[in-house]
Amino acid sequence: MKNRYIKILCGFLIFTSLQSCDDFLDVNTSPNDPSSETVNPEIVLAATQVYTYNVLAGSSVPDFPAITQDNMNQLGNLMMNNWTRDVGASNSSYYFNEHTYNVTSDFYSGIFEILFLRTSNYTFIQNTTKPGYDNYKAIAKIMKSFYFQYLVDLYGDIPYSEAHKRGLNLTPKYDDAQTIYRDLVVQVEQAIDLIDNAPAGTFNPGDNDVMLHGDMAMWKKFANTLKLRLLLRESNRAASATYVAAEMAELQSSGAEFLGPNDNVTINPGYSTNVNQQNGFASLFLNTNDETKNNYSSTAATKYTINYLSATNDLRIGRIYSQTSSGAILYNGHQQGDVLDTSTNYPVSHVGPGLLMDSSQDGLVFTAAESLLLQAEAVQRGFLTGSAQGLYESAITESFKLLGLTASDASTYYSQSINLVGWNGSANKIEAIINQKWIALNGINGGESWIERTRTGFPAHVPLSTVAPGTSRPIRLLYPSSEIAGNTANVPPQTEAEAFTSKIFWNE
């Protein structure tokens, strides 16, 4: 485990030097300095998988500030009323910008900045001309597409065709969001072709791949599921109807396999309690002795979500949220945005044991539950054949299992005739699917829930923060101030109001 982390750190340091130093000066090259001609993909892959995952789920590593950044999971859980602050009036600024929807060019700017930096390593891998690396190139295409979808979902038009050229172009143009989306589908299809047609002698990444350990059949399932998500994101848009239908038909006719039961895509390069080796998500809340730290104590459950899970008899409440320190009230939260009133709303629950186990836990990149809910939606909308109800109930089962509960617990839950819980008891099946996604991704990928709420309007019942400035939550992020300063001629102009009004193309 220690040796693997040393390799990851070396890969990070080597490729950072490639990004910053290549073509800087026209001088003689030292044989001791790495260059793109001497670095092989296996040196870069694991480090890139780890550092991009940290943007998805979070990282708080004090000795490595370069990998401490804003993350989509925290942002989404706050936007979707899953988390709030647990602090008194003396520190009422905690999560203040999130609660007040104060979206500026500095709000979660690390998502844009760090993802563009880290995904350039995937571009390096997919562009290698060295023989034998088809599987590496396929993984790089899949992972770059996975994260570029989020960049488009959160920002709209972004640099794409001219991105990652290092010193050759430091001010890349912005490409049309829809054009990028369509090319991401192509990239995913190319990745599948690379896997299917890899020549004899092609290297298997093995443990250099700290996500799926070189299981290329699983990478194909992941790729097909990512393509399905890309297409569904566009599926509500009338102008995309013909395109989406044709691509869905291709998935159906090709017999594409998607991530199914037990097919959770995880990451673990050897996480441990050792300093700088913690799971990125866990490091936000646990110190290196696996004891809780301030961010854990300051992040509380919301009263709304606690009450919702309680009212629907959802046993996941005890896995998503911790029990309070009071035996009289097992689970409790307070209104998102309010300053905690200890006389009426204390103690409260925090991040639960099904999400936060220890520093060595696997990171969750894409869950089987999310995949099955995507498939259920595709079937319900008529794009794929199958049983939407069966997929829906299987997804709930996978969510329960992932959190440490049983299939029997799940069956008892979804057999209830409660709207948005039981299939037959739900009037709007799409709303039920997205509602279950909100629950299944609580604490795991809040960013995806926020994006899906923007796309579908569901779950419609989730309220705004009590200190929201208006009647709607943000629907996007704004381009960061670093980009405005460094790429002024190309970055589209924006006002802060556009965080609430400027729609991503698939929502137009």
Side-chain angles (χ1 to χ4, degrees), residues 326-379:
S326 168
I329 304 174
L330 284 181
Y331 305 104
N332 195 20
H334 70 99
Q335 300 291 355
Q336 187 185 62
D338 285 359
V339 174
L340 181 64
D341 183 346
T342 56
S343 66
T344 60
N345 206 0
Y346 190 83
V348 295
S349 299
H350 302 282
V351 179
L355 300 174
L356 188 63
M357 291 159 277
D358 56 54
S359 295
S360 64
Q361 67 187 57
D362 290 346
L364 295 169
V365 178
F366 206 118
T367 67
E370 181 186 351
S371 173
L372 289 160
L373 288 168
L374 287 168
Q375 294 171 62
E377 181 181 351
V379 172

Side-chain angles (χ1 to χ4, degrees), residues 93-108:
S93 63
Y94 208 83
Y95 292 146
F96 177 82
N97 288 329
E98 293 91 340
H99 290 155
T100 58
Y101 303 152
N102 185 28
V103 181
T104 68
S105 58
D106 294 317
F107 182 79
Y108 282 77

Side-chain angles (χ1 to χ4, degrees), residues 70 75 79 101-113 116 150-158 174 450 474-484 491-504:
D70 302 321
L75 172 61
M79 288 293 170
Y101 303 152
N102 185 28
V103 181
T104 68
S105 58
D106 294 317
F107 182 79
Y108 282 77
S109 59
I111 293 174
F112 186 100
E113 295 162 341
F116 266 105
Y150 279 129
L151 284 168
V152 173
D153 290 342
L154 295 173
Y155 293 96
D157 297 351
I158 56 171
Y174 276 60
W450 177 37
I475 59 174
R476 64 178 299 149
L477 296 178
L478 301 180
Y479 300 117
S481 54
S482 59
E483 182 70 1
I484 295 169
V491 63
Q494 281 182 323
T495 64
E496 291 184 6
E498 290 184 65
F500 299 85
T501 61
S502 179
K503 297 180 179 180
I504 308 301

